[in-house]
Amino acid sequence: MIETREKVQKIFRVFRILTKLGMIMTFVWAGITLLGLLFFLVWCAGGRVMGLNGETLMTFMKTGAVNEVIGTLLADLFWALSDGFLLTMACRYFALEEAEGTPFTAGGARRLRNLGIYAIVLPLAAVIIGAVIMAIAAPGKDLPGDGNLPGLITGILLITASVIFRYGAELEAKTAACAASVSTAPTGEEPVSAAPVNTVSDNSTE
C-alpha cells in the first residue's frame, strides 16, 4: 500500500515538473507575441522596428495584410494567456497534492474537477475572442489553432478522474473509520469476581 502510494507520488511529481515547464514556455510565448504586436504597432505608426523599414518587414512576414497580422497576434496572445492560466492552476493542483501526500482527498478531487471545467471553458473563451478579433480584423480568414476539441477532451478526462479520486477518498475515509473502530473496541468482558468465602466454622459453640 505504501509502496504504491510512493509510486503514485513520483508520477505526480513528474507531471508537476512537466506542467511547470509548459507553463513557463506558454508565458514566454505570450511575451513574444505581445512584443511582436507592440513592434508591429510601432511600425504601423511610422516607426522602425529593429532597423527594418516597412517593405522589408512585410517581406519578412510574407503578408501585406496589416489587419490580418494584428488579428493573428491578438488571437495568439489570448490563446497563450488562457493556456498559461490553465497550466498555472495545474501546477497549483500538483503542489497541493504533493503536500497532502495522496490524490485521494475530497479537496483534491474538487480541485481536479474545477481544473477540468476550466480546461473546457478557457480554451472555448479564447476561441470565441479570437474568432471575434479575426472577424473584425480579417473577415473570411480562418482562426489559427485547433479549436476547442483538445480542451474539451482534456476537461472530460479530468472531470472523470476527479470522480474516481473522490470515490477513492471515500474508500480511504471508510477504511480509516473501520480501523479506528476496531482499535477502540473492547477486547472482552471484565472477569467476574469470585464469591467471598465464609471463614467462620460451622461447629462454633454458643
Side-chain angles (χ1 to χ4, degrees):
M1 182 70 176
I2 297 178
E3 293 180 357
T4 303
R5 180 173 296 182
E6 290 178 353
K7 291 180 180 178
V8 171
Q9 289 302 105
K10 289 180 180 179
I11 294 174
F12 271 71
R13 195 172 296 114
V14 172
F15 285 162
R16 180 186 178 188
I17 294 173
L18 294 177
T19 304
K20 190 172 183 178
L21 290 176
M23 178 190 68
I24 294 173
M25 293 176 63
T26 303
F27 281 119
V28 169
W29 170 34
I32 293 175
T33 305
L34 180 60
L35 190 61
L37 179 61
L38 293 177
F39 281 174
F40 194 78
L41 292 177
V42 168
W43 171 80
C44 290
R48 296 173 64 88
V49 178
M50 300 177 64
L52 300 177
N53 56 21
E55 183 179 356
T56 305
L57 185 62
M58 297 310 295
T59 303
F60 177 74
M61 291 184 175
K62 299 184 184 304
T63 178
V66 175
N67 291 337
E68 182 181 348
V69 174
I70 295 176
T72 302
L73 289 174
L74 281 175
D76 286 344
L77 179 61
F78 279 105
W79 267 108
L81 291 177
S82 65
D83 289 347
F85 181 74
L86 186 60
L87 290 172
T88 301
M89 292 186 61
C91 286
R92 181 175 179 271
Y93 166 78
F94 286 122
L96 293 175
E97 188 278 336
E98 186 175 358
E100 292 174 345
T102 176
F104 299 106
T105 61
R110 183 177 62 254
R111 289 191 295 269
L112 190 62
R113 180 201 62 195
N114 294 338
L115 184 61
I117 295 174
Y118 282 118
I120 297 175
V121 174
L122 288 179
L124 179 60
V127 168
I128 295 174
I129 294 175
V132 172
I133 292 174
M134 291 300 294
I136 297 174
K141 293 292 183 179
D142 295 331
L143 180 68
D146 299 328
N148 192 39
L149 183 59
L152 179 62
I153 295 175
T154 303
I156 293 174
L157 291 177
L158 291 176
I159 293 174
T160 303
S162 71
V163 175
I164 298 174
F165 287 171
R166 184 171 67 247
Y167 178 67
E170 293 174 356
L171 288 181
E172 284 196 355
K174 290 180 181 179
T175 302
C178 291
S181 62
V182 170
S183 62
T184 57
T187 57
E189 298 180 358
E190 296 181 0
V192 180
S193 59
V197 180
N198 187 8
T199 57
V200 180
S201 175
D202 294 334
N203 297 326
S204 60
T205 57
E206 296 180 355

